[in-house]
Amino acid sequence: MPTWLWIVGGILLFFVLLLSASVRVFILADNGKVTLRIRYLFLSFNPLKQRKQKKEKKQKQPKPPENAPEQPPEGKLKQFKQQLSQVMQLLEPLADAVKKLLRGVRVRHFVLYLEVGKEDAAATAVEYGKLCALVYGAYGTLGNVFYIPDPDIRISTNYTEQCFRWHFSVKVKARLFLLLRIGVRFLMDLAKTKLSKENEGGVNYERDTVKRRHEHDHGKNQGND
């Protein structure tokens, strides 16, 4: 067998091994502070970590106050609802083909803890009911996209103080080849959706133009009469 065939075969095998290797993603969110860690083979990095910019001139910058004011519970609760709604808005319109591919993503660990307390017991009970409807409705949407074995979801009430605390952690595992397929499929569906909207806009514009022309001709005829 020629030497170049061995070389080509070795290169192809190398790329197959790279594509079949698993990518592990760990997400941790504690009261709004998000940590993201991605591991692939022997590589590990955090894409959310801010890189230090090179300073042309060393200047003393004022240090932030150590005791920064903490966000009130109402603000934390509102921020949590907004973030959850944004995630659902991304997942709900996904095409069935993308959802089928996402079923291949393995969720190894899924934990969500919530604690809410309002000014009185009645308000706390009402807010608890709203959170249960929101969280379990969102989990139902996630369950249609991902297979989540043994989720740990706990929502508790605090009748002694006004507060809102939450903790979320998830570990996801998928092969690199599957992630590339999901990305390509998602971009194709996004392009199709955009083109269909542009075509609908063009058709509506043509209809409006014909309608305006018809109204103009009709007005002209009435003036001649």
Side-chain angles (χ1 to χ4, degrees):
M1 185 179 290
T3 307
W4 66 270
L5 284 178
W6 286 101
I7 296 174
V8 172
I11 294 173
L12 291 176
L13 180 61
F14 175 72
F15 279 106
V16 169
L17 291 175
L18 287 180
L19 293 173
S20 60
S22 296
V23 178
R24 294 175 175 84
V25 181
F26 176 70
I27 303 174
L28 172 65
D30 196 358
N31 290 323
K33 297 179 181 178
V34 181
T35 302
L36 176 63
R37 177 67 59 183
I38 300 176
R39 292 181 180 178
Y40 175 69
L41 296 177
F42 55 88
L43 302 175
S44 178
F45 59 95
N46 180 8
L48 299 180
K49 187 177 181 180
Q50 295 181 353
R51 297 180 180 179
K52 296 181 179 179
Q53 297 180 353
K54 295 182 180 180
K55 299 179 180 179
E56 297 179 357
K57 296 181 180 180
K58 294 183 179 180
Q59 297 179 354
K60 293 183 178 181
Q61 297 181 353
K63 295 182 179 180
E66 296 182 358
N67 298 326
E70 188 179 358
Q71 191 177 9
E74 288 295 333
K76 291 181 181 179
L77 180 59
K78 185 178 180 181
Q79 183 182 14
F80 173 78
K81 290 180 178 180
Q82 288 177 349
Q83 292 174 350
L84 191 59
S85 299
Q86 289 173 358
V87 173
M88 292 305 102
Q89 287 175 2
L90 290 175
L91 292 178
E92 287 177 352
L94 291 179
D96 292 336
V98 180
K99 290 180 180 179
K100 289 180 181 178
L101 290 175
L102 287 172
R103 297 289 291 183
V105 177
R106 299 178 182 179
V107 180
R108 296 294 189 185
H109 170 84
F110 188 93
V111 174
L112 177 61
Y113 298 151
L114 295 173
E115 182 184 7
V116 61
K118 303 291 284 186
E119 59 272 6
D120 54 39
T124 301
V126 170
E127 193 61 49
Y128 171 78
K130 291 180 180 179
L131 277 177
C132 285
L134 179 64
V135 170
Y136 288 108
Y139 173 73
T141 302
L142 285 174
N144 292 330
V145 179
F146 301 98
Y147 172 65
I148 306 175
D150 302 326
D152 187 5
I153 302 175
R154 303 178 192 177
I155 305 176
S156 60
T157 55
N158 190 328
Y159 294 103
T160 60
E161 62 173 335
Q162 189 173 357
C163 65
F164 179 72
R165 305 180 185 94
W166 65 282
H167 171 87
F168 173 73
S169 60
V170 63
K171 292 180 182 178
V172 177
K173 180 182 177 182
R175 298 186 184 277
L176 179 61
F177 178 70
L178 178 62
L179 294 178
L180 293 176
R181 286 186 63 191
I182 292 171
V184 171
R185 189 72 193 191
F186 179 75
L187 291 176
M188 289 175 61
D189 290 343
L190 190 65
K192 289 180 181 178
T193 304
K194 187 176 180 180
L195 287 174
S196 63
K197 288 183 178 179
E198 289 179 354
N199 291 334
E200 287 178 0
V203 170
N204 292 333
Y205 176 76
E206 290 178 0
R207 289 177 179 174
D208 292 342
T209 304
V210 172
K211 184 178 179 182
R212 287 195 298 268
R213 188 180 301 167
H214 177 72
E215 290 177 351
H216 179 70
D217 294 340
H218 183 67
K220 260 172 133 184
N221 295 332
Q222 285 183 348
N224 293 333
D225 294 340

